[in-house]
Amino acid sequence: MRATGLRGASYDFNVTSTAATILIAEDDRAVREALERALQFEGYTVHAAKNGAEALDLVGEVDPDAIMLDVMMPGIDGLTVCRRIRDKGMQTPVLMLTARHEISDRVAGLDAGADDYLVKPYALDELLARVRALLRRNGVTGDDSQSFVLDDLRMDLAARRVTRGDAVIDLTKTEFDLLELLLHNVDIVLSRDLIYERIWGYDFETGSKSLDVYIGYLRRKLEVDGASRLIHTVRGIGYVARAS
């Protein structure tokens, strides 16, 4: 399968023929319906539950590829749903959605077995990026031969090989992982906090300069001999991969 991005970016995917199935559990009807519409627009099969009890019933019926749980639901809350899913031995990726900002709440979600945690209000692009990341980790959206192409830059995930034109670009593990994250979200601006979470982990000090340093490393390697810039800074927010 081949798709073309908004600014000339293209991606090569080897994907399953069946759309991924997402289960949403959210007690706020407006939010639930908005999420359902957005995910369906992206091509996902969506099942929605208005509380934790319905979510637990649906898990066994629809066998979702990923689950999105609001933490604060009446009756059985999202944390309890996540724990019960894990107690049954299910390894389905879980994204927790919550209005709570405290680190302790984030830790509680992860301790309950969640794979990721997103604080409200969130940007739709960021939510979709996190869903794609969860599905990719679970082997739903691609296999080991997945590759990304942006202009004359190509990344082969199976071979862990990056080329620009005819030149092979030697990257460290962190540089490769950072470039993969950016290329997987071409034309989507990723915040600094999101990148730190994905590449260095939740407990990493986001006030450090590590991200800027590695962006500099990547640019030097990707822009040899005057090659066009593919990783762009969005001041006050973060970074984006897009064709110049």
Side-chain angles (χ1 to χ4, degrees):
M1 176 180 177
R2 190 174 182 83
T4 302
L6 298 177
R7 297 181 177 85
S10 62
Y11 329 85
D12 290 326
F13 297 105
N14 289 311
V15 298
T16 56
S17 59
T18 303
T21 299
I22 311 293
L23 171 60
I24 302 168
E26 166 65 65
D27 65 305
D28 186 310
R29 179 179 176 180
V31 173
R32 183 174 65 250
E33 292 180 351
L35 286 173
E36 191 171 5
R37 286 193 301 270
L39 290 167
Q40 287 174 340
F41 183 79
E42 293 296 313
Y44 299 114
T45 298
V46 182
H47 296 272
K50 62 179 180 288
N51 55 51
E54 281 190 11
L56 288 172
D57 289 338
L58 281 171
V59 165
E61 294 178 12
V62 304
D63 189 23
D65 297 301
I67 301 171
M68 296 168 56
L69 297 173
D70 180 39
V71 171
M72 299 298 292
M73 291 186 291
I76 303 176
D77 62 23
L79 295 177
T80 302
V81 172
C82 190
R83 291 192 192 97
R84 292 188 183 180
I85 289 172
R86 295 298 183 240
D87 287 345
K88 293 179 181 179
M90 297 182 63
Q91 298 304 312
T92 308
V94 173
L95 172 62
M96 304 297 297
L97 305 175
T98 181
R100 294 179 173 179
H101 294 254
E102 289 76 12
I103 294 295
S104 59
D105 295 312
R106 183 182 297 176
V107 170
L110 297 174
D111 284 345
D115 299 271
D116 202 356
Y117 193 102
L118 188 57
V119 176
K120 302 176 182 178
Y122 45 77
L124 179 60
D125 283 345
E126 181 177 359
L127 180 138
L128 294 174
R130 295 195 182 209
V131 169
R132 290 194 299 269
L134 288 178
L135 292 171
R136 187 172 74 251
R137 279 182 235 157
N138 203 36
V140 175
T141 59
D143 59 21
D144 289 340
S145 61
Q146 188 181 57
S147 62
F148 300 112
V149 178
L150 177 60
D151 276 4
D152 57 345
L153 176 70
R154 185 179 186 89
M155 169 177 274
D156 184 330
L157 299 184
R160 291 192 70 83
R161 186 172 186 265
V162 176
T163 57
R164 186 154 197 191
D166 296 326
V168 176
I169 301 172
D170 184 27
L171 300 179
T172 65
K173 180 183 183 303
T174 299
E175 291 167 352
F176 187 96
D177 292 345
L178 178 56
L179 182 60
E180 179 188 353
L181 176 65
L182 291 166
L183 292 181
H184 194 79
N185 297 282
V186 165
D187 289 322
I188 297 175
V189 178
L190 302 182
S191 69
R192 294 175 62 87
D193 286 349
L194 183 148
I195 296 173
Y196 271 115
E197 289 175 3
R198 291 292 178 278
I199 304 302
W200 284 280
Y202 284 103
D203 57 350
F204 198 88
E205 176 50 60
T206 58
S208 76
K209 297 295 183 181
S210 296
L211 175 55
D212 308 279
V213 170
Y214 275 94
I215 290 291
Y217 291 159
L218 278 176
R219 283 174 172 164
R220 283 194 290 273
K221 292 182 178 183
L222 298 179
E223 298 172 15
V224 173
D225 297 329
S228 62
R229 175 152 294 182
L230 299 177
I231 300 175
H232 303 268
T233 302
V234 180
R235 294 190 180 279
I237 302 177
Y239 295 95
V240 59
R242 63 178 173 228
S244 297

